[in-house]
Amino acid sequence: MKASRLAATGAVAATAVVVLSSPAFAHVSVAAEGTAAKGGYAVVDFKVPNERDNASTTKLEVAFPADHPLASVMPEPMAGWKIQVTKSKLAKPLELHGEQITEAVSKVTWTATGKDSGIQPGYFEKFPVSVGALPEDADELVFKAIQTYSNKEVVRWIEVQEDGAEEPETPAPVLALSAASEDGHHGSSAAEEADAKTENAAATTDGDSSDTTARVLGVVGIVVGALGVAYGVLAGRRRSDA
């Protein structure tokens, strides 16, 4: 009897250890490549893991926040995926670069095109999108995503995290926004950083060229001076001999 009880207790304990140590399921999430500053522009990646071992992810739908519409939404082309951008009329027009915007992107859909395309079991993929201008009156943006598998299973990542509550089973992706810098800039783009590097390199090259030229002229001056002295000495000797 004691042996049976010990065996049963051990089995229960082992099961508990397995349950507690098993990793939490990965979720569809969103994160910025660099900084997502309020009032600025950013490239964000929707990271989609495949949580099934018998099906691939063949479709992703991301709904953009209606309470903070984004005037500019441009997905990056991706091999093996067809991208569809859906726009909707705005109740209140937005202003972008001095122009009135009456519609904004409400949804972006990625659909796998080939038989063997999509996100295979054991892998994840990132879906990049350039967005802006980000709102200045919000600390985060909530995107609701729908993930479809090749076996027709649909997972809706649409639950909003409530303050003080436990994380929902299928949370919606949330993008945290950082404050704009004090000088009014909203983060530098990759192009701006590249231009800065190019300018620095040019300045360094010009400086090196100037230093080299000065050194060459200095050496030439010394040589010319030495030749002048030698010529003067020879001329003096000739006059003495005469």
Side-chain angles (χ1 to χ4, degrees):
M1 290 294 292
K2 290 183 179 180
S4 300
R5 290 178 181 176
L6 288 174
T9 303
V12 172
T15 303
V17 170
V18 172
V19 172
L20 292 175
S21 62
S22 59
F25 288 109
H27 306 318
V28 172
S29 59
V30 60
E33 295 183 4
T35 303
K38 298 178 182 180
Y41 289 76
V43 174
V44 300
D45 295 327
F46 292 95
K47 182 179 178 181
V48 182
N50 193 329
E51 297 181 326
R52 304 293 179 265
D53 57 5
N54 59 350
S56 59
T57 296
T58 56
K59 188 177 183 180
L60 173 68
E61 301 170 75
V62 176
F64 283 70
D67 55 342
H68 293 291
L70 301 173
S72 176
V73 175
M74 295 184 292
E76 180 178 322
M78 297 178 61
W81 294 91
K82 175 185 176 182
I83 305 175
Q84 180 180 357
V85 178
T86 303
K87 295 184 177 181
S88 300
K89 291 288 184 180
L90 295 175
K92 182 180 179 181
L94 298 174
E95 186 172 338
L96 180 65
H97 303 307
E99 297 183 2
Q100 291 290 321
I101 307 298
T102 59
E103 62 179 11
V105 172
S106 57
K107 183 172 68 172
V108 178
T109 304
W110 292 264
T111 305
T113 56
K115 180 180 178 181
D116 298 327
S117 60
I119 308 174
Q120 302 300 316
Y123 291 88
F124 74 89
E125 194 156 354
K126 291 183 179 180
F127 297 79
V129 183
S130 173
V131 297
L134 298 172
E136 298 182 1
D137 58 348
D139 295 325
E140 62 183 24
L141 292 178
V142 179
F143 300 86
K144 296 185 177 182
I146 299 178
Q147 183 179 11
T148 302
Y149 289 90
S150 56
N151 60 1
K152 307 304 180 183
E153 179 187 0
V154 176
V155 181
R156 301 178 183 276
W157 304 98
I158 61 174
E159 296 183 86
V160 179
Q161 175 73 51
E162 300 293 341
D163 293 339
E166 295 183 358
E167 183 183 35
E169 184 177 354
T170 54
V174 177
L175 175 67
L177 304 181
S178 61
S181 59
E182 295 181 358
D183 58 2
H185 294 290
H186 305 287
S188 61
S189 64
E192 291 173 342
E193 292 178 359
D195 291 341
K197 291 179 180 179
T198 301
E199 292 176 359
N200 291 336
T204 301
T205 301
D206 292 342
D208 292 343
S209 298
S210 299
D211 291 343
T212 301
T213 302
R215 290 173 183 173
V216 171
L217 291 176
V219 172
V220 171
I222 293 173
V223 172
V224 171
L227 291 175
V229 172
Y231 178 79
V233 172
L234 290 175
R237 290 180 178 179
R238 289 177 182 177
R239 289 177 184 176
S240 298
D241 294 339

